[in-house]
Amino acid sequence: MRYSEQSLPVGVVSGPASAVEADVIVAVACEGEAAAASAAFDGAAGGRVSGAFDSREFTAKPGTVFVTPCVSPWHASRLLLVGGGPRAGFDTAQLRRAATTAALTARERRWRRIAFLLPSILPPGDEAQAASEGLTLAAHYTGIYKSDADARPAVLEPMIVTPDEASADARDAAERSAARGYILAACSNLARALANEPANVITPRTFSEIAAHLAAESGLKADVLDEERLAGLNMGLLLGVARGSAERPRMVVLRYEPVRPATRAVLGLVGKGVTFDTGGISIKPSEKMHLMKSDMSGGAAVLGAMKAIAALKPGAAVVGVIPLVENMPGGRAMRPGDVVRSAEGKTVEVLDTDAEGRLILADALWYARQIGATHLVDVATLTGAIGIALGRTTTGLFGAPDDWVSLVGRTANRAGDRAWPLPLFDDYREQLRSDIADLANIGGRPAGSITAAMFLKEFTGGLPWAHLDIAWTAWAEEAQPWQPKGPTGVAVRTLAELACAHDDWPPLAP
Ligand code: BES
Ligand code: MN
Ligand code: ZN
């Protein structure tokens, strides 16, 4: 894979804004606040800000921009106003999107030095982190296989500008927050780059090689289990899915250990790594099948999060487990009706070979427990049904107990990865009954995302566990001003922030 870092760290400078040298200086304007924006920036723009509001050329709605040349005494070449939406709903998610919108505009027009003025609406550290994330997310580039080198976008030199009156302490805090935001977003972009790679490039073997390389670079311990070791551990569900492919399976295990642990708890992150999902013998229709190259987005999110965790150095240990297979309909493939046995010992009747994610995750959740995880989160492009329930903007959230699930949900929403809970009532378990084995791997059309989660729950050993179904949030089918078409990097920031929030994890069982 030809992945290379396409972004530069985000610098921090302090005001006055008029003195900042840049190709473009960016300010956030809120809807209905023409007077405030004009008072602040008409001086920079020779009166054209109030004009743009008056003519409604610029409305300050989210995703909108207005660009005008700067006049003396301002030093930047141009002023870009970006819409923040209504001030009442302005939060870090709006700020992050505004920063990405502005930076994508700058990248498009090849303005390299972009200076982003913090709007001073939210707590300063939160603003610096969200702005830094937004600016860095704009570096994601999907055209690496295009031959025309001139079409490559510019590499931005982003900086954030703290308010003029900020104290030295506030500036230090802004620098730490900006560095943190850069790490989180650059690791989100790594996950996006992986998810965008075709399945002839990313196979279980090459994914595991990238993971081992990345671990060596970032000081994580890595263990790559090959087919022989997976067989030694009796991972019959994972091996069953792998049977139909010429590409042999792997399981990547990454471990972060703090120098001075603040807790005995160990976070276990498990990510679905199906490098291509044809459906197997229960084969999928060919329309849109190519997008199943991204069926390893959960695994990519865990890898990105582990890289971020290695850099952020939280006080809790974290293990990342990524089961890797290609789901193909080969001559040795599993058949509908086959019965396979999990490493934990439970038997499963495979009524649909396209419900493969839950099979590999079951053995991976078991393995995460074997190596010491005390709190589990899995991330998976698991069910098409989640999009019917929640659409393209919201990740499905499941699990138990409630305090763990709600912590994961709050962390996700703060990180800009919106997630919303669905229930796991015991009744749903009946849909997974098999006539001949402990469990069937599908539960019918009704509540399809819930029965998939109920299946996973069987393999969590009663530990605190949360499941994020990202089937419709890992890939943007339509471009937005702040989000190009393609992989989104969903869940990377959530998982890394969760690792850092260990003071809020529910206590270990005695
Ligand atoms: N990888 C798919 C889920 C998916 C669907 C991801 C659409 C992204 C976009 C998963 O392995 C799958 O095929 N699920 C089946 C389950 C069914 C057979 C119970 C599905 O959703 O149809
Ligand atoms: Mn499938
Ligand atoms: Zn799948």
Side-chain angles (χ1 to χ4, degrees), residues 272 274 276-280 282 284 292 295 327 352-358 381-383:
K272 172 175 171 180
V274 176
F276 196 78
D277 182 12
T278 65
S282 315
K284 290 181 181 294
M292 285 299 122
D295 209 20
N327 189 23
D352 191 322
T353 64
D354 197 11
E356 85 297 341
R358 63 196 79 182
T381 46
L382 202 64
T383 66

Side-chain angles (χ1 to χ4, degrees), residues 258 260-263 265 267 313-317 375 404 407 497-507:
R260 256 175 257 92
T263 167
L267 180 62
K313 303 196 190 317
H375 294 68
W404 178 239
L407 175 65
E497 295 274 22
L498 186 67
C500 296
H502 51 78
D503 286 346
D504 300 330
W505 297 357

